Amino acid sequence: MIVIELKDIEKIYVSGKYRVKALRGIDLQISKGEFTAVVGPSGSGKTTLLNIMGCIDLPTRGSVTLHGEELQTKKPEELALLRRNYFGFIFQSFNLIPVLTVYENVEIALKLRYKNLQKKEREKRILSILEAVGLSDKWNMKPLELSGGEQQRVSIARALVKDPEFVLADEPTANLDSETGKSIVELMRKLNAEKGVTFVFSTHDPLIVEHAKRIIKLRDGKIVGE
Protein backbone atom coordinates (compact mmCIF):
# COMPACT_ATOMS: atom_id res chain seq x y z
CA MET A 1 0.00 0.00 0.00
CA ILE A 2 1.41 3.39 -1.01
CA VAL A 3 1.62 5.80 1.93
CA ILE A 4 3.27 8.82 0.31
CA GLU A 5 3.56 9.69 -3.36
CA LEU A 6 5.59 12.55 -4.83
CA LYS A 7 5.08 13.56 -8.46
CA ASP A 8 7.39 15.91 -10.40
CA ILE A 9 8.55 17.66 -7.21
CA GLU A 10 10.62 20.79 -7.59
CA LYS A 11 11.78 22.93 -4.66
CA ILE A 12 13.39 26.34 -5.13
CA TYR A 13 14.72 28.45 -2.27
CA VAL A 14 15.02 32.17 -2.92
CA SER A 15 17.38 34.42 -0.96
CA GLY A 16 17.55 37.93 -2.35
CA LYS A 17 18.60 37.63 -5.97
CA TYR A 18 19.78 34.02 -5.53
CA ARG A 19 17.68 30.99 -6.44
CA VAL A 20 18.71 27.53 -5.29
CA LYS A 21 16.99 24.55 -6.88
CA ALA A 22 17.11 21.95 -4.09
CA LEU A 23 14.94 19.32 -5.79
CA ARG A 24 14.47 18.77 -9.52
CA GLY A 25 11.62 16.63 -10.85
CA ILE A 26 11.40 14.03 -8.07
CA ASP A 27 9.01 11.11 -8.63
CA LEU A 28 8.82 8.76 -5.66
CA GLN A 29 6.46 6.34 -3.95
CA ILE A 30 6.89 5.13 -0.37
CA SER A 31 4.89 2.05 0.63
CA LYS A 32 3.78 0.98 4.10
CA GLY A 33 6.47 -0.87 6.04
CA GLU A 34 9.47 0.35 4.05
CA PHE A 35 12.88 0.74 5.71
CA THR A 36 14.45 3.09 3.20
CA ALA A 37 17.71 5.03 3.15
CA VAL A 38 18.14 8.17 1.05
CA VAL A 39 21.84 8.61 0.34
CA GLY A 40 23.89 11.22 -1.44
CA PRO A 41 26.52 13.90 -0.88
CA SER A 42 25.88 16.97 1.28
CA GLY A 43 23.70 19.46 -0.59
CA SER A 44 22.05 16.78 -2.74
CA GLY A 45 18.57 17.57 -1.34
CA LYS A 46 18.11 14.76 1.21
CA THR A 47 16.82 16.95 4.07
CA THR A 48 14.55 18.94 1.73
CA LEU A 49 13.07 15.69 0.43
CA LEU A 50 12.29 14.48 3.96
CA ASN A 51 10.77 17.85 4.92
CA ILE A 52 8.42 17.71 1.94
CA MET A 53 7.43 14.11 2.72
CA GLY A 54 6.62 15.12 6.31
CA CYS A 55 4.48 18.20 5.53
CA ILE A 56 7.14 20.47 7.10
CA ASP A 57 7.71 22.16 3.74
CA LEU A 58 5.70 22.42 0.53
CA PRO A 59 7.12 22.01 -2.97
CA THR A 60 7.47 24.87 -5.44
CA ARG A 61 5.98 22.61 -8.08
CA GLY A 62 4.51 19.13 -8.20
CA SER A 63 2.14 17.17 -5.99
CA VAL A 64 2.45 15.28 -2.69
CA THR A 65 -0.22 12.85 -1.50
CA LEU A 66 -0.52 11.12 1.88
CA HIS A 67 -2.86 8.10 1.79
CA GLY A 68 -4.19 9.48 -1.48
CA GLU A 69 -4.96 12.95 -0.09
CA GLU A 70 -3.43 15.94 -1.85
CA LEU A 71 -1.38 17.99 0.63
CA GLN A 72 -1.02 21.27 -1.29
CA THR A 73 -4.69 22.07 -0.74
CA LYS A 74 -4.43 21.65 3.04
CA LYS A 75 -4.48 24.61 5.43
CA PRO A 76 -1.50 25.08 7.80
CA GLU A 77 -3.51 23.80 10.77
CA GLU A 78 -4.51 20.68 8.79
CA LEU A 79 -0.86 20.01 7.92
CA ALA A 80 0.03 20.44 11.60
CA LEU A 81 -2.54 17.75 12.50
CA LEU A 82 -1.10 15.39 9.90
CA ARG A 83 2.41 15.92 11.29
CA ARG A 84 1.16 15.26 14.82
CA ASN A 85 -0.92 12.18 14.03
CA TYR A 86 1.11 10.37 11.38
CA PHE A 87 4.77 11.29 11.70
CA GLY A 88 7.70 10.96 14.06
CA PHE A 89 10.60 13.28 13.23
CA ILE A 90 14.26 12.88 14.12
CA PHE A 91 16.19 16.05 13.30
CA GLN A 92 19.95 16.59 13.01
CA SER A 93 19.60 19.64 15.27
CA PHE A 94 17.60 17.69 17.93
CA ASN A 95 14.99 20.51 18.42
CA LEU A 96 14.59 19.73 22.14
CA ILE A 97 12.98 22.22 24.51
CA PRO A 98 15.85 23.37 26.77
CA VAL A 99 13.72 24.23 29.85
CA LEU A 100 12.12 20.76 29.94
CA THR A 101 13.66 17.57 31.31
CA VAL A 102 14.35 14.51 29.18
CA TYR A 103 11.12 12.94 30.48
CA GLU A 104 9.09 16.09 29.71
CA ASN A 105 10.53 16.46 26.19
CA VAL A 106 9.35 12.94 25.40
CA GLU A 107 6.07 13.36 27.25
CA ILE A 108 5.02 16.45 25.28
CA ALA A 109 4.95 14.43 22.04
CA LEU A 110 2.77 11.81 23.70
CA LYS A 111 0.39 14.42 25.15
CA LEU A 112 -0.06 16.09 21.78
CA ARG A 113 -0.80 12.79 20.04
CA TYR A 114 -3.01 11.18 22.72
CA LYS A 115 -4.81 13.85 24.71
CA ASN A 116 -6.85 11.35 26.80
CA LEU A 117 -4.05 8.94 27.67
CA GLN A 118 -3.94 8.24 31.41
CA LYS A 119 -0.89 9.46 33.34
CA LYS A 120 0.07 5.91 34.36
CA GLU A 121 0.04 4.70 30.75
CA ARG A 122 2.03 7.78 29.65
CA GLU A 123 4.63 7.08 32.31
CA LYS A 124 4.88 3.42 31.28
CA ARG A 125 5.44 4.30 27.62
CA ILE A 126 7.97 7.05 28.35
CA LEU A 127 10.07 4.98 30.76
CA SER A 128 9.99 2.04 28.33
CA ILE A 129 11.28 4.10 25.39
CA LEU A 130 13.89 5.86 27.54
CA GLU A 131 15.19 2.45 28.60
CA ALA A 132 15.26 1.34 24.97
CA VAL A 133 17.48 4.30 23.99
CA GLY A 134 19.67 3.95 27.08
CA LEU A 135 18.52 7.05 28.96
CA SER A 136 16.51 5.66 31.87
CA ASP A 137 19.03 7.13 34.33
CA LYS A 138 18.92 10.61 32.72
CA TRP A 139 15.15 11.15 32.75
CA ASN A 140 15.30 14.20 35.04
CA MET A 141 18.15 16.03 33.29
CA LYS A 142 17.82 19.03 30.96
CA PRO A 143 19.08 18.87 27.35
CA LEU A 144 22.05 21.18 28.00
CA GLU A 145 23.26 18.78 30.70
CA LEU A 146 23.55 16.02 28.11
CA SER A 147 26.11 15.21 25.45
CA GLY A 148 25.23 15.61 21.77
CA GLY A 149 24.72 11.85 21.44
CA GLU A 150 22.42 11.78 24.46
CA GLN A 151 20.37 14.67 23.07
CA GLN A 152 20.02 12.77 19.82
CA ARG A 153 18.73 9.76 21.76
CA VAL A 154 16.11 11.98 23.44
CA SER A 155 14.94 13.17 20.02
CA ILE A 156 14.73 9.53 18.86
CA ALA A 157 12.70 8.59 21.96
CA ARG A 158 10.38 11.56 21.38
CA ALA A 159 9.79 10.48 17.77
CA LEU A 160 9.11 6.84 18.60
CA VAL A 161 7.10 7.12 21.84
CA LYS A 162 3.82 7.96 20.13
CA ASP A 163 3.90 4.90 17.83
CA PRO A 164 3.94 6.92 14.61
CA GLU A 165 2.92 5.35 11.33
CA PHE A 166 5.82 7.01 9.55
CA VAL A 167 9.26 8.04 10.88
CA LEU A 168 11.42 10.52 8.98
CA ALA A 169 14.97 10.52 10.31
CA ASP A 170 17.59 13.03 9.16
CA GLU A 171 21.02 11.52 9.92
CA PRO A 172 19.69 9.87 13.13
CA THR A 173 22.98 8.21 14.09
CA ALA A 174 25.31 11.07 13.15
CA ASN A 175 26.01 12.08 16.77
CA LEU A 176 26.09 8.60 18.28
CA ASP A 177 28.99 6.29 19.02
CA SER A 178 28.98 3.07 17.01
CA GLU A 179 27.59 0.88 19.82
CA THR A 180 24.68 3.24 20.58
CA GLY A 181 24.04 3.72 16.86
CA LYS A 182 23.82 -0.04 16.43
CA SER A 183 21.28 -0.39 19.29
CA ILE A 184 19.15 2.46 17.86
CA VAL A 185 19.11 0.86 14.39
CA GLU A 186 18.10 -2.46 15.98
CA LEU A 187 15.26 -0.72 17.86
CA MET A 188 14.03 0.86 14.63
CA ARG A 189 14.25 -2.45 12.77
CA LYS A 190 12.21 -4.09 15.53
CA LEU A 191 9.49 -1.42 15.26
CA ASN A 192 9.54 -1.82 11.49
CA ALA A 193 9.21 -5.61 11.67
CA GLU A 194 6.75 -5.91 14.57
CA LYS A 195 4.56 -2.83 14.13
CA GLY A 196 4.94 -2.07 10.44
CA VAL A 197 6.29 1.43 11.11
CA THR A 198 7.58 2.97 7.87
CA PHE A 199 11.06 4.49 8.11
CA VAL A 200 12.81 6.83 5.68
CA PHE A 201 16.33 7.96 6.60
CA SER A 202 18.70 10.45 5.10
CA THR A 203 22.09 9.06 6.00
CA HIS A 204 25.78 8.56 5.37
CA ASP A 205 25.93 5.77 7.97
CA PRO A 206 26.97 2.39 6.46
CA LEU A 207 25.13 0.64 9.31
CA ILE A 208 21.75 2.08 8.23
CA VAL A 209 22.55 1.52 4.55
CA GLU A 210 23.46 -2.11 5.33
CA HIS A 211 20.07 -2.74 6.97
CA ALA A 212 17.96 -0.72 4.54
CA LYS A 213 15.53 -2.68 2.40
CA ARG A 214 15.66 0.05 -0.23
CA ILE A 215 18.34 2.65 -1.07
CA ILE A 216 17.50 5.81 -3.01
CA LYS A 217 20.48 7.67 -4.46
CA LEU A 218 20.16 11.45 -4.68
CA ARG A 219 22.51 13.87 -6.44
CA ASP A 220 22.01 17.56 -7.28
CA GLY A 221 18.32 17.32 -6.31
CA LYS A 222 17.60 14.35 -8.59
CA ILE A 223 17.11 10.65 -8.01
CA VAL A 224 19.97 9.04 -9.91
CA GLY A 225 19.40 5.41 -8.94
CA GLU A 226 18.11 2.82 -6.49
Side-chain angles (χ1 to χ4, degrees):
M1 182 180 75
I2 295 170
V3 181
I4 289 181
E5 183 169 18
L6 287 74
K7 290 183 180 176
D8 196 25
I9 295 297
E10 185 176 276
K11 181 63 182 181
I12 299 171
Y13 293 106
V14 179
S15 178
K17 61 182 180 180
Y18 297 102
R19 288 164 57 87
V20 177
K21 198 174 272 193
L23 295 176
R24 307 162 183 258
I26 296 285
D27 291 309
L28 182 63
Q29 293 179 338
I30 301 293
S31 297
K32 182 173 174 56
E34 285 196 24
F35 200 81
T36 294
V38 180
V39 301
S42 296
S44 59
K46 300 189 299 295
T47 299
T48 301
L49 180 61
L50 261 62
N51 286 345
I52 286 175
M53 281 188 197
C55 314
I56 291 173
D57 205 353
L58 290 173
T60 306
R61 190 190 73 198
S63 70
V64 184
T65 56
L66 174 65
H67 289 304
E69 283 192 63
E70 186 82 37
L71 297 187
Q72 285 88 319
T73 58
K74 301 284 185 188
K75 298 174 183 175
E77 56 269 28
E78 292 176 308
L79 292 174
L81 275 174
L82 290 175
R83 289 193 296 271
R84 188 188 78 187
N85 294 337
Y86 286 99
F87 294 97
F89 297 98
I90 302 169
F91 302 99
Q92 280 190 62
S93 54
F94 316 137
N95 290 355
L96 302 176
I97 301 171
V99 297
L100 299 182
T101 64
V102 167
Y103 185 98
E104 290 165 341
N105 265 283
V106 177
E107 182 181 42
I108 197 166
L110 204 51
K111 280 182 170 179
L112 287 170
R113 176 67 179 91
Y114 300 107
K115 294 187 182 297
N116 298 319
L117 198 64
Q118 295 297 314
K119 184 179 178 181
K120 197 170 181 179
E121 178 61 23
R122 271 205 320 271
E123 185 176 296
K124 181 182 171 184
R125 288 198 190 194
I126 294 164
L127 294 178
S128 174
I129 198 71
L130 288 179
E131 184 178 359
V133 300
L135 287 174
S136 52
D137 60 336
K138 304 275 175 82
W139 66 274
N140 203 31
M141 295 177 76
K142 302 281 180 65
L144 294 179
E145 298 174 291
L146 304 174
S147 69
E150 287 167 341
Q151 290 183 59
Q152 181 68 300
R153 282 187 269 164
V154 178
S155 75
I156 290 167
R158 180 186 58 192
L160 300 182
V161 74
K162 60 180 184 175
D163 289 333
E165 179 181 335
F166 202 109
V167 174
L168 296 168
D170 195 5
E171 298 283 3
T173 55
N175 298 292
L176 305 179
D177 62 77
S178 58
E179 201 56 40
T180 305
K182 185 179 177 183
S183 68
I184 293 298
V185 172
E186 286 173 357
L187 173 63
M188 292 175 175
R189 285 186 68 202
K190 185 179 179 184
L191 287 169
N192 175 255
E194 293 179 2
K195 297 190 176 184
V197 179
T198 305
F199 285 87
V200 177
F201 307 88
S202 76
T203 189
H204 291 97
D205 188 345
L207 183 65
I208 292 178
V209 173
E210 178 187 332
H211 288 102
K213 298 173 185 173
R214 181 185 183 192
I215 298 167
I216 296 165
K217 298 176 182 177
L218 210 60
R219 184 178 292 276
D220 298 326
K222 296 179 181 178
I223 293 175
V224 294
E226 286 202 35

